[in-house]
């Protein structure tokens, strides 16, 4: 065909814009939708941050609880030490006041209960020395046992003093020293109290 036929028609190769063509959009100007991977990453970051905050709060609470427990343990220890000291003081005080009275009332019977077991068989003469008041009680109690009344000779003796009773026979003897026992017990209580006071 001849170029003259097409010369009167408009040319399209030199136009920068085309009729009816959509204007080109600048991709940088448009906000980009976050991808699913970005959303997941962001969600994980938030979860991790919340987890760390919760862990921090939990650790602070646990530290506070541990401090409180340590404080309570110290207080309980002090209360227990005070209670032991007061108990020992009360026991010593009660023993000092009541033991002599109980000894005067029941000591003779207690001794007579043990004499039958402690005296070797075959002994025919037993000498029992005690302070006068206790000797009188012992005599009355021993008279209730036909066997002991027959072989026991109760001798009042001022020098023995207190709640000490000396029992002797031909081949040996034994002592009932209740005053010494009381002093030993009270001394032990006092030593425990003083040692606890030094530790505290």
């Amino acid at each position: 065909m001849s170029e003259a036929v097409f010369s009167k028609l408009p040319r399209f190769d030199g136009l920068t814009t085309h009729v009816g063509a959509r204007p080109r959009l600048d991709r940088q100007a448009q906000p980009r939708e976050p991808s699913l991977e970005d959303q997941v990453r962001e969600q994980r970051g938030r979860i991790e941050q919340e987890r760390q905050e919760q862990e921090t709060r939990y650790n602070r609470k646990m530290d506070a609880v541990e401090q409180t427990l340590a404080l309570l343990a110290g207080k309980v220890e002090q209360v227990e030490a005070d209670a032991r000291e007061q108990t020992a003081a009360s026991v010593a005080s009660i023993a000092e006041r009541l033991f002599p009275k109980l000894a005067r009332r029941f000591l003779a019977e207690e001794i007579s209960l043990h004499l039958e077991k402690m005296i070797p068989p075959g002994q025919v003469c037993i000498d029992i020395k005690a302070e006068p008041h206790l000797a009188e009680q012992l005599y009355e109690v021993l008279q209730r046992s036909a066997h002991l009344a027959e072989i026991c000779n109760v001798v009042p003796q001022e020098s023995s003093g207190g709640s000490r009773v000396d029992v002797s026979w031909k081949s040996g003897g034994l002592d009932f020293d209740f005053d010494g026992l009381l002093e030993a017990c009270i001394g032990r209580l006092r030593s425990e109290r003083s040692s606890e006071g030094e530790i505290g």
Side-chain angles (χ1 to χ4, degrees):
M1 276 191 212
S2 169
E3 287 189 15
V5 177
F6 297 105
S7 63
K8 294 191 181 185
L9 295 173
R11 294 184 60 92
F12 296 101
D13 56 349
L15 297 176
T16 57
T17 58
H18 301 285
V19 178
R22 293 182 182 176
R24 193 176 67 180
L25 296 175
D26 187 359
R27 290 185 181 178
Q28 293 178 352
Q30 291 290 332
R32 184 174 67 87
E33 278 291 322
S35 66
L36 182 60
E37 185 179 339
D38 291 339
Q39 291 177 6
V40 169
R41 191 181 300 113
E42 185 181 348
Q43 184 69 19
R44 284 180 180 168
R46 281 198 300 268
I47 291 172
E48 179 63 21
Q49 183 179 359
E50 289 177 4
R51 187 192 66 77
Q52 289 178 357
E53 289 174 357
Q54 287 178 354
E55 187 175 346
T56 301
R57 287 195 297 271
Y58 174 79
N59 289 337
R60 285 177 185 163
K61 287 180 181 178
M62 288 307 296
D63 288 343
V65 168
E66 287 175 2
Q67 290 175 3
T68 303
L69 288 175
L71 184 63
L72 285 174
K75 294 288 185 187
V76 168
E77 235 176 83
Q78 184 61 44
V79 168
E80 288 178 348
D82 292 344
R84 283 194 300 269
E85 186 175 348
Q86 289 177 2
T87 301
S90 298
V91 169
S93 176
I94 291 169
E96 287 173 333
R97 283 188 313 225
L98 294 184
F99 189 85
K101 294 178 183 177
L102 291 172
R104 282 195 297 272
R105 185 166 184 181
F106 300 109
L107 191 54
E109 292 183 10
E110 190 68 21
I111 291 171
S112 67
L113 288 174
H114 291 87
L115 278 178
E116 293 260 14
K117 300 173 186 175
M118 295 180 172
I119 295 174
Q123 297 298 324
V124 293
C125 183
I126 308 295
D127 290 327
I128 301 174
K129 298 176 182 178
E131 60 93 16
H133 177 73
L134 183 54
E136 185 180 342
Q137 286 184 325
L138 275 169
Y139 179 80
E140 290 176 3
V141 171
L142 293 174
Q143 292 306 307
R144 298 178 200 158
S145 167
H147 174 65
L148 291 176
E150 187 179 318
I151 63 173
C152 290
N153 179 31
V154 181
V155 180
Q157 192 172 29
E158 293 287 350
S159 60
S160 68
S163 299
R164 180 182 176 87
V165 177
D166 296 320
V167 181
S168 60
W169 52 87
K170 188 174 182 181
S171 60
L174 57 91
D175 296 327
F176 293 95
D177 186 6
F178 288 92
D179 287 338
L181 174 63
L182 174 62
E183 286 302 318
C185 292
I186 292 175
R188 180 64 183 269
L189 286 171
R190 286 175 181 156
S191 67
E192 288 182 0
R193 285 170 55 195
S194 61
S195 64
E196 284 179 3
E198 290 172 3
I199 292 171

